[in-house]
Amino acid sequence: MQNYSRLRSFFVSDTVVRIIVLVFLAIVPMHSVYGASARYSVKGEVVDNAGVAEMYATIRIYLPSDSVKPAVLGTTDENGMINLTLPSAGEFRFTVAAVGKRAIEKLFSVDASNSVADLGRLVLEENVTELGEVNVVAQRPLVVREIDRLGYDVKADPEAETSTLREILRKVPLVSVDEEGNIKVKGSSDFKIYKNGRPNNSFTKNAKDIFAAIPASSIKKIEVITEPGAREDAEGVGAILNIVTDSDTAINGVVGTVNLYADNNSYIPNPSLWLSTQIDKVTMSVNGGYNRTPKGNDSKSWSNQYTDYRETGNRYESEAYSQYPQNSGWVGFESSWEPDTLNLFTVEANGWFWSPFDQQTESSVRMLGPAGADGTRPLLYGYNSTSRPVGTNRNIYFDGSASYQHSTGRKDETLTLSYRISTNSSKNDSETQYYDMIDCGFGYTGHRFDTKQDFIEQTVQADWSRPYGTKHKLDIGAKGVFRSNHAISSREYFGADMGSRDDFTHRTTIAAAYADYRLTLGKWNFRAGLRYEYSYLSAHFREQAENRPDFSSRLNDLVPNVAVSWNINDANSVKMGFSRNIRRPSIGFLDPSRSETPTSVSYGNPDLGSVVYNNLSFNYSLIKNKFNLDFNLSGTLVDNSLQNVRWIDDRERVVSTYANIGKMRSMNMSVYFQWSIDSKTRWMFNLWGGYTYIRQPVELDDAGRQMERSRARWAVNPWTRISRDLPWKLELSLSGYWWSGGLSDVYSYQDPSVPGYTISLVRKFLKDDRLTVRLNANRLFGPNRIHSNYHTYNPQYTTDSETVNRSGRYVGITFNFRFGSLKAQVKKTAASISNDDLDGQGRGGGGK
């Protein structure tokens, strides 16, 4: 306890925190002046035999004593220019190569009197020599552009031998990794991660921790799939990061990484672990982590709400304090067996849990009458309340899959059979007690709401992929999905003869088939795909407070997509596309159980149907040696969007439910660039902006009277980061961010937030940089409290609310240690199962 108190005092000391920042800021100018050393370099120009600049030609520079591992590896820039830094003075052997060209080799030297070697203009001739039956060994370029993706050749990068996968990702075009390990693709965190061309849920959910554990030496190639095919488009995927593992190597022992994070808000270290090994032809990998949010700034919030009723002139006021400490964790397992080169079996299992403890909410409520001539309002009624969980509340998720892949004798032709099971179980049992009650006429002194929801989904799928020559490729597949949602809800009201119990089951059966065709004609790429989905939905009420008949419905949906891209040259490309997505409501929206409090009534709608999204997109991409730019413009049209419906009943309670009645139009724009200012300084910037318009009928009362309402609003979210490599294996970075607020629904919108920033200092230790320590500080000199303000405008009332969290300022430290050596990864079949069509999955299960 004494050590704990000392640690707490250290973290909360503002003096110590400010000293840390001053040290950060002092490091850069100090080493910029004194840390510089003599630099040697080589320059030149590479063109083809027509005099046109040879962009991104691969350059390797060797020491005379080493003909295998290059001392310097790089590429020409967009103008074919060479400008590379050499490690020291001396003699070197230089080679430059490009696809379809004869390589050039030169010898040169640099010394103190001649620190820059100028190779002049180098002409790469076309490789037109007709060869007999010989073996040709070629040098591959680092960056390769394909029809729908960009590829980075990790095996050709010598730094991969001592780096993690997360560190190599910093070099991949269109990918950024911030100081905390958060990954973005094309400037967005809305992407999926595949391994060996198949969806990998554990990677997608936990990439920040897992990629810090995987050694880059086990990776063959990293691909950014910017235009996914028909199967992925139907699931709503905008971009894919595909990690291709090296299948030609063997395991050497066990490899693993241990990660530990703590900050001054929680004081509880959060650990994670990754391990991998191989036994004969079976490869296995396990990973997991744990997070505990104790009673501290991370788990506290305050809120205020004011509601004015138009018809009566009454005003509702409430103040509340909440604390929500919780436990959460995740675990994953993968294994593959490859009995021969044509067959591959894989299994995967992932789990996640969330559980609160000692949660409590204290609130004070007053209903006031209309203001008098002197501005004062009479008290109509008022009460205080306390709410807390009863028993054990939790949310548990499990996902498991098994796949078999068979490769035929034809190159790249595969047949894959897959099975997947996914479950989610949540329990929320809470009790509220009222006290200090004044003139309350609702007839009870508290209530207990107990809800248990169970979701299970089973999927079987078959996929076949076959190329036809070099220009055509066809993918076809079929899938069957079987879902069951079951919710049991009970409500008990203390001191009153009232209560209810609902037992509701909702089942969905889906049969789907898809076809995806791709065509390549020179610099033009075309893709067209179509998915057909048949859905059977049924609802069954075993017990229901208001007896409702069972019902069922049958739906038929066509989901097309088409895209075209033009690679103007090796640096510039333009793409346009159309796609359609489907979202089905989860049980949280469907469950008709009715929950009532003195101020609100809410229930779901079992008659909800699937929502259809129509999307248009345009993309321009510029990829240069030191500068990458990506611009996206997209629009979405929805004519049956799932919207919240609210009105005031005769007791001035807010009644809310859901319906497919909205028309939504949105336009989104994103600009992303990353710039390597010099060999040690990098700048990344991402700007997202969007405009949303929603129109829907709005309920006026319990009798069903309606009126048409609409609302529109802009939203902007910029983010930027600049980082600098310093001596002694240090890296200093500064990032900034801001959120302009946005539209929640046709009733509500959020105000802008206060700009934030993070300062981070990273240091590597031990042999091969096996230990990494990161110290980061957020809003160090800014406000500690984070304010979130919401405004609601309904024809019957207006509401202004504010929530305050005291976790804006923190100092955290992360330790990452990797051990062992690994040259193999768990394999995956070429196609797998990915379901992501549920809207609001897990709603009602709780969580922070």
Side-chain angles (χ1 to χ4, degrees), residues 94-153:
F94 169 93
T95 66
V96 58
V99 176
K101 308 292 174 62
R102 287 203 295 265
I104 294 177
E105 182 174 323
K106 277 184 172 291
L107 298 176
F108 70 91
S109 63
V110 291
D111 53 34
S113 60
N114 181 27
S115 61
V116 180
D118 190 349
L119 303 182
R121 172 174 278 203
L122 305 176
V123 181
L124 291 178
E125 301 288 344
E126 295 288 339
N127 193 355
V128 296
T129 303
E130 293 185 5
L131 301 176
E133 189 176 349
V134 296
N135 293 326
V136 180
V137 179
Q139 292 180 325
R140 306 185 300 270
L142 283 174
V143 179
V144 178
R145 181 190 296 276
E146 300 180 25
I147 296 174
D148 58 349
R149 69 195 66 194
L150 291 171
Y152 184 85
D153 191 349

Side-chain angles (χ1 to χ4, degrees), residues 229-355:
R231 181 170 64 94
E232 293 82 11
D233 276 351
E235 307 298 340
V237 178
I240 295 172
L241 185 64
N242 185 32
I243 309 298
V244 183
T245 59
D246 188 1
S247 59
D248 300 327
T249 56
I251 198 76
N252 180 17
V254 177
V255 69
T257 294
V258 178
N259 195 78
L260 193 67
Y261 171 80
D263 61 44
N264 64 294
N265 278 331
S266 64
Y267 307 106
I268 303 296
N270 298 320
S272 62
L273 173 70
W274 180 87
L275 292 171
S276 185
T277 189
Q278 180 176 345
I279 303 174
D280 194 17
K281 294 184 179 181
V282 177
T283 307
M284 292 177 289
S285 174
V286 295
N287 56 81
Y290 171 75
N291 178 68
R292 180 180 176 89
T293 304
K295 292 182 177 180
N297 288 341
D298 269 0
S299 65
K300 294 180 181 179
S301 69
W302 294 260
S303 62
N304 298 284
Q305 179 177 326
Y306 304 93
T307 299
D308 291 306
Y309 300 92
R310 300 182 187 277
E311 183 174 344
T312 62
N314 294 340
R315 163 171 279 200
Y316 166 86
E317 297 181 353
S318 71
E319 299 178 357
Y321 160 78
S322 300
Q323 59 179 8
Y324 37 89
Q326 59 189 14
N327 293 303
S328 64
W330 53 270
V331 63
F333 169 79
E334 298 175 356
S335 181
S336 67
W337 174 46
E338 189 175 21
D340 52 52
T341 58
L342 299 180
N343 298 283
L344 176 64
F345 298 86
T346 68
V347 294
E348 177 182 345
N350 301 282
W352 176 84
F353 79 93
W354 169 89
S355 178

Side-chain angles (χ1 to χ4, degrees), residues 679-690:
S679 61
K680 296 184 178 181
T681 308
R682 297 164 297 278
W683 181 27
M684 287 172 280
F685 177 77
N686 176 47
L687 171 66
W688 177 89

